[in-house]
Amino acid sequence: MSDFNDFNNPQVTKLPKHLRQFIVDQNYAKYTPVDQAVWRYVMRQNYSYLKDVAYYPYIKGLQRAGLSIEYIPDLQTMNNNLAKLGWGAVTVDGFIPPAAFMEYQAYRVLVIAADIRQINHIEYTPAPDIIHESAGHAPIIADADYNNYLSYFGSIGAKAMFSAKDFELYEAIRELSILKEAVEIPEFEIARAEERLQHISANMGEPSEMALLSRLHWWTVEYGLIGTLSDPKIYGAGLLSSIGESSSCMKENVKKIPYTIDTINYSYDITKTQPQLFVTETFQNLIDVLEQFADTMSFRKGGTESINKAIDSKNAATAVYSSGLQVTGVFSDMGLNGSGELTFIKTSGPSALSVADKQLEGHGKQYHKDGFSSPVGKLKNSVTALENFSDEELDAIGIKENNLTELTFESGINVSGLVKKIYKHNNQIILIAFEECTVKESSGNILFQPEWGTYDMAVGEKIVSVFNGAADKDAYEEITYISEKQTEKVIYDEATTQLHDIYKNIRQIRESGNGEEQLPSLFGTIKTTYPQDWLSLLEILEITHYKGSHPELEKEIRNYLETKALAEPHHQKLINDGLHVIANPVTQLITEED
């Protein structure tokens, strides 16, 4: 984004350009009076119910994050408040790729979907929306143990290896979530998207690191419970922002299981309520389990298996030699000895060399545009790894600038040519550039010929780490894959616009205390013109109940809503919950919790 708005928030300011590309304007003016009423209804329900089942004092957490019951949060206000907690927030368009999402967390920035759910999905939506992201994630950010887990998870998740299937799954989830929140989409289109998602989910093969990590994320950050199995409290944002599931999840038919590393064996379906949930005793246990899993990941293990994962991903990844040299590119091949150990690695297409996450000057993807390959291992008959050779030891085997030399690795790979330059980092040799160079395997197979130009030979006994994406992301100009499928922008017809005006009018009456004489006619218009609407009636009832100025109208609306609840099972819980909150005012709840 050229006109990047950092909200004067230090965490947002630190975001690198490859993450900034996902940010969209919140465009606060797009929220309609109905959107604002949806926010207010959900927040009142949350206040009413979550005071008993949420882990963190919910109201206090909302206030510290800059959120209110009355209005959809403004991003600047949120950033002003989150900055005091060492966090920031940005808005994005729906689902973003998991690796990018994780990296935002590592930078301690909340990613908030700019859209808000439709009223017909008020209890739950599979699409990310501002209720889920801000009312779900933000209140618990004030808990230091939790937000440390969140940012640490992000730093681990950003390194997780993908499979090509993960990208298909991401696209399918994004498409379905967009269709479910779009207006007037034919049922067959949603059914087809659900079928496609189910098919991809059922044919994922061996789950990737990112797929397994996503499960840990889902069962903790999104759907986690904390405490004891008999008396758990909610801390997961998916539950905190779902007024339907936050209640149903506490019932006995939803199995409660202790949270351990075994949780990675449980997949999840974003379109359904969860059949089981996992309970951690402490947030420290979440970090312990994450550490356990991280020890199995390529960025900590390296070696053959990790390069294999990089090849399977078909996307840019980085391999780190034991010398510290980092090779970024799309890995396409590797060589193995009889023991299954790496003898060389190869990338195809634009590649780059870095050290300590900074690209080596002159070794970007324009220079290595056709890929990069190099041996891995020790020199034949050498006890010391080449990266650890002293200047005297280098001299002894002819490695000095402008000198012809010949090297043979334990694998049998032979490199002969004129030494052009020796690169070092922290007194270790990381790269040797050769002119007039020939590289061949013991079989005689030619890997590099003099006429191909300079041969840059990576130095390192082992590949100690492999991780997703580039080492120096900004130098690599990593334009992370962004879906072409954008969220639907609703255009309202005249009848809906008039309904918006009714909601706006009701809010003005409630907030100003003036204009109550309009309430009977507003009730009449809603009954006749908008018989499907229930939320505006609850808002009128609320005014009449608190003011006590229209007892007959209050009675009439209450009877109408109670009849409507019986006649419309899909609205029954929503109406009854709304009536409950009117009878038990939120202001009273705030006082109780404070």
Side-chain angles (χ1 to χ4, degrees):
M1 293 178 66
S2 54
D3 53 345
F4 175 62
N5 179 5
D6 66 4
F7 302 99
N8 203 25
N9 180 297
Q11 300 307 124
V12 178
T13 304
K14 290 175 192 169
L15 289 174
K17 63 185 177 186
H18 70 276
L19 290 181
R20 294 181 184 187
Q21 67 188 312
F22 293 103
I23 299 171
V24 298
D25 288 332
Q26 183 183 19
N27 187 12
Y28 196 89
K30 76 181 174 197
Y31 300 123
T32 68
V34 174
D35 292 336
Q36 296 285 1
V38 165
W39 170 271
R40 185 173 183 271
Y41 176 89
V42 172
M43 297 310 292
R44 283 163 62 82
Q45 293 300 324
N46 282 350
Y47 274 20
S48 175
Y49 177 67
L50 292 175
K51 68 179 174 60
D52 297 319
V53 296
Y55 165 71
Y56 191 79
Y58 191 72
I59 293 160
K60 205 174 292 179
L62 285 168
Q63 289 167 343
R64 290 188 71 182
L67 304 175
S68 84
I69 187 175
E70 290 295 327
Y71 288 96
I72 294 168
D74 164 65
L75 211 55
Q76 184 63 63
T77 306
M78 279 192 75
N79 271 293
N80 293 345
N81 284 271
L82 288 171
K84 297 169 191 169
L85 304 170
W87 280 72
V90 295
T91 40
V92 298
D93 183 57
F95 275 114
I96 63 172
F101 183 85
M102 296 288 183
E103 209 175 343
Y104 275 106
Q105 276 185 206
Y107 276 93
R108 300 174 91 86
V109 173
L110 283 180
V111 177
I112 297 174
D115 292 330
I116 187 166
R117 66 194 63 178
Q118 295 177 59
I119 191 169
N120 56 327
H121 295 151
I122 196 167
E123 287 190 281
Y124 170 77
T125 173
D129 80 328
I130 196 161
I131 292 178
H132 170 81
E133 307 295 349
S134 55
H137 287 291
I140 199 168
I141 285 292
D143 187 292
D145 288 342
Y146 175 76
N147 75 47
N148 285 335
Y149 169 69
L150 200 60
S151 60
Y152 187 52
F153 199 112
S155 65
I156 301 288
K159 291 179 165 65
M161 296 302 299
F162 276 90
S163 71
K165 287 275 185 188
D166 289 328
F167 286 94
E168 283 185 59
L169 184 68
Y170 159 70
E171 268 297 321
I173 289 172
R174 182 177 164 86
E175 181 186 22
L176 178 61
S177 72
I178 290 170
L179 288 175
K180 284 212 166 190
E181 275 302 313
V183 178
E184 295 178 357
I185 294 293
E187 279 299 318
F188 77 86
E189 271 197 49
I190 294 175
R192 190 167 58 194
E194 283 178 335
E195 195 177 308
R196 180 168 173 258
L197 175 56
Q198 293 297 342
H199 176 74
I200 292 170
S201 296
N203 294 279
M204 290 292 289
E206 192 70 25
S208 68
E209 289 178 359
M210 181 56 86
L212 294 175
L213 257 186
S214 293
R215 292 176 185 178
L216 294 186
H217 197 270
W218 182 265
W219 298 123
T220 60
V221 174
E222 297 295 352
Y223 280 81
L225 301 176
I226 187 168
T228 62
L229 293 180
S230 58
D231 184 28
K233 300 293 185 189
I234 295 171
Y235 72 89
L239 293 174
L240 290 174
S241 61
S242 169
I243 55 177
E245 201 165 359
S246 62
S247 173
S248 64
C249 78
M250 287 301 179
K251 293 177 180 169
E252 284 187 9
N253 64 320
V254 179
K255 193 175 178 186
K256 312 299 188 296
I257 304 170
Y259 181 73
T260 68
I261 191 68
D262 294 337
T263 305
I264 61 168
N265 298 317
Y266 290 80
S267 58
Y268 59 89
D269 183 340
I270 69 157
T271 65
K272 295 182 172 70
T273 55
Q274 309 311 311
Q276 77 280 310
L277 294 173
F278 296 86
V279 185
T280 185
E281 287 188 12
T282 61
F283 287 136
Q284 182 57 48
N285 180 51
L286 301 186
I287 291 176
D288 294 344
V289 169
L290 181 58
E291 274 295 296
Q292 231 180 313
F293 182 73
D295 283 341
T296 71
M297 291 172 65
S298 298
F299 84 97
R300 286 192 180 168
K301 288 188 79 173
T304 305
E305 184 188 347
S306 301
I307 292 291
N308 218 14
K309 287 180 183 177
I311 293 170
D312 285 346
S313 81
K314 298 181 174 62
N315 276 274
T318 297
V320 186
Y321 277 83
S322 45
S323 64
L325 183 74
Q326 298 166 311
V327 179
T328 294
V330 177
F331 285 82
S332 55
D333 200 4
M334 61 181 174
L336 303 175
N337 63 17
S339 305
E341 295 166 332
L342 289 167
T343 58
F344 77 87
I345 57 172
K346 182 178 190 303
T347 64
S348 300
S351 303
L353 305 181
S354 305
V355 68
D357 296 337
K358 287 293 173 193
Q359 189 171 289
L360 288 177
E361 193 175 342
H363 287 278
K365 62 183 186 181
Q366 286 74 31
Y367 180 69
H368 295 288
K369 66 183 190 307
D370 300 318
F372 181 86
S373 73
S374 203
V376 180
K378 285 181 178 176
L379 294 177
K380 198 171 182 180
N381 302 322
S382 175
V383 178
T384 308
L386 181 54
E387 65 252 46
N388 296 322
F389 272 33
S390 66
D391 290 343
E392 292 75 25
E393 287 171 313
L394 288 176
D395 275 354
I397 58 169
I399 298 182
K400 54 185 175 182
E401 289 184 11
N402 301 314
N403 197 57
L404 277 169
T405 192
E406 184 173 340
L407 307 174
T408 303
F409 287 81
E410 286 180 338
S411 61
I413 291 176
N414 180 274
V415 179
S416 61
L418 183 73
V419 177
K420 180 185 174 188
K421 188 172 180 182
I422 301 164
Y423 295 78
K424 290 186 178 182
H425 178 73
N426 288 345
N427 292 322
Q428 284 200 302
I429 302 144
I430 58 171
L431 187 70
I432 302 172
F434 293 89
E435 299 288 6
E436 300 300 318
C437 188
T438 302
V439 183
K440 57 185 176 182
E441 295 180 288
S442 55
S443 62
N445 180 41
I446 300 290
L447 298 175
F448 195 90
Q449 298 182 142
E451 53 267 32
W452 295 355
T454 302
Y455 179 68
D456 295 292
M457 187 187 84
V459 176
E461 180 188 357
K462 294 175 180 175
I463 298 298
V464 295
S465 177
V466 180
F467 57 85
N468 169 63
D472 186 341
K473 287 181 167 61
D474 282 345
Y476 194 73
E477 294 178 338
E478 187 174 84
I479 301 302
T480 311
Y481 172 71
I482 296 181
S483 175
E484 292 177 5
K485 180 79 176 169
Q486 299 296 295
T487 53
E488 299 281 340
K489 305 305 174 201
V490 182
I491 298 169
Y492 300 104
D493 59 22
E494 190 178 342
T496 307
T497 304
Q498 287 171 356
L499 180 61
H500 292 170
D501 289 340
I502 290 172
Y503 271 87
K504 184 179 179 182
N505 203 353
I506 293 169
R507 180 178 280 268
Q508 285 171 342
I509 293 167
R510 183 179 67 246
E511 291 180 348
S512 69
N514 302 319
E516 288 177 52
E517 67 279 359
Q518 300 174 55
L519 294 178
S521 69
L522 288 171
F523 174 48
T525 303
I526 294 161
K527 271 197 309 183
T528 54
T529 312
Y530 305 99
Q532 81 288 355
D533 199 77
W534 54 273
L535 182 52
S536 59
L537 298 178
L538 279 171
E539 294 213 326
I540 294 175
L541 180 65
E542 181 191 340
I543 296 169
T544 59
H545 177 73
Y546 291 160
K547 293 284 186 181
S549 52
H550 290 75
E552 287 303 315
L553 179 62
E554 179 186 348
K555 186 177 177 183
E556 189 183 351
I557 297 172
R558 190 180 297 279
N559 289 339
Y560 180 86
L561 280 168
E562 286 170 353
T563 305
K564 190 176 183 66
L566 290 172
E568 300 172 10
H570 57 293
H571 287 147
Q572 190 169 32
K573 184 177 185 302
L574 293 167
I575 291 170
N576 289 339
D577 286 351
L579 293 172
H580 173 78
V581 171
I582 290 171
N584 299 273
V586 165
T587 49
Q588 183 184 322
L589 298 173
I590 293 173
T591 308
E592 282 174 11
E593 184 168 320
D594 286 352

